[in-house]
Amino acid sequence: MTRKPVVEVRRSQRRRRTVSAYRDGERVVVLIPDQFSRAEESEWVDRMLARLAAREGRLARSDAELLVRASRLIDNYLPEYGSAAVPASVRWVTNQNGRWGSCTPADRTIRISHRIQDMPDWVIDYVLLHELTHLIVPSHNAEFWALVARYPRSERARGYLEGVAATAAIP
Ligand SMILES: [Zn+2]
């Protein structure tokens, strides 16, 4: 369902070239320089609405998107395992505050905590790849970590998550 939002254009004499937009409840406020013509105004409003929609679409991370992400990670980092690394289901959950992700190898299900939903893509990829790897190697042994290390930003992502955990006091 797409509904065209109510747009409020605010002209600013202090602005020279920069345009910005933000959502304010049901409205979208677009800030433009005062010297813009009507044509420029309407062009920029369209452009900013498209940009805002793209930004919000990226944040609305769905279970379907997780599955797409999972198959891309398997292709890139675990190609020789093929279907052995494909989960039966992978979904976002909100009841998992102590862990970023979890995997049940017996029924091949993976759950990812909503707490990482707004984190950078490369962190989500790490958490997901970590859980996918558990479908192949259930425990945290040397073989497991060797597979996870195929993802170039593994260590950086672990550092990122440790930093967040330390701040939020998550074990
Ligand atoms: Zn693990």
Side-chain angles (χ1 to χ4, degrees):
M1 186 184 79
T2 49
R3 201 153 38 105
K4 208 167 166 68
V6 180
V7 177
E8 180 188 325
V9 176
R10 286 188 200 155
R11 289 175 170 263
S12 158
Q13 291 191 335
R14 246 177 296 158
R15 275 176 191 266
R16 290 283 168 256
R17 290 184 310 274
T18 56
V19 178
S20 61
Y22 61 91
R23 195 176 283 283
D24 179 22
E26 289 286 284
R27 286 177 316 161
V28 170
V29 178
V30 181
L31 305 159
I32 62 169
D34 194 36
Q35 80 239 16
F36 267 17
S37 66
R38 287 290 158 198
E40 281 175 312
E41 174 183 319
S42 93
E43 181 196 327
W44 274 97
V45 164
D46 287 348
R47 197 178 292 179
M48 296 313 280
L49 286 179
R51 213 176 277 179
L52 208 60
R55 199 159 74 205
E56 288 167 354
R58 213 168 47 232
L59 288 177
R61 288 169 163 154
S62 61
D63 291 353
E65 197 245 9
L66 267 184
L67 196 57
V68 171
R69 208 181 262 271
S71 21
R72 184 170 43 76
L73 289 167
I74 294 165
D75 286 350
N76 287 339
Y77 302 108
L78 306 168
E80 75 270 43
Y81 296 97
S83 61
V86 177
S89 79
V90 50
R91 55 194 182 87
W92 292 105
V93 293
T94 54
N95 61 352
Q96 189 171 256
N97 288 333
R99 290 200 282 176
W100 305 118
S102 68
C103 171
T104 311
D107 63 6
R108 315 188 60 74
T109 56
I110 288 174
R111 289 152 302 278
I112 304 293
S113 168
H114 75 290
R115 299 180 56 111
I116 71 162
Q117 216 157 27
D118 292 334
M119 288 184 188
D121 279 314
W122 54 273
V123 177
I124 297 178
D125 279 350
Y126 166 74
V127 172
L128 189 50
L129 182 67
H130 182 120
E131 300 310 330
L132 291 167
T133 306
H134 276 314
L135 292 174
I136 304 161
V137 185
S139 65
H140 291 140
N141 60 16
E143 187 192 356
F144 174 85
W145 290 116
L147 289 175
V148 168
R150 290 177 174 185
Y151 178 61
R153 288 200 265 189
S154 268
E155 211 159 307
R156 215 178 130 204
R158 280 215 301 282
Y160 182 103
L161 292 166
E162 273 164 27
V164 175
T167 315
I170 293 174

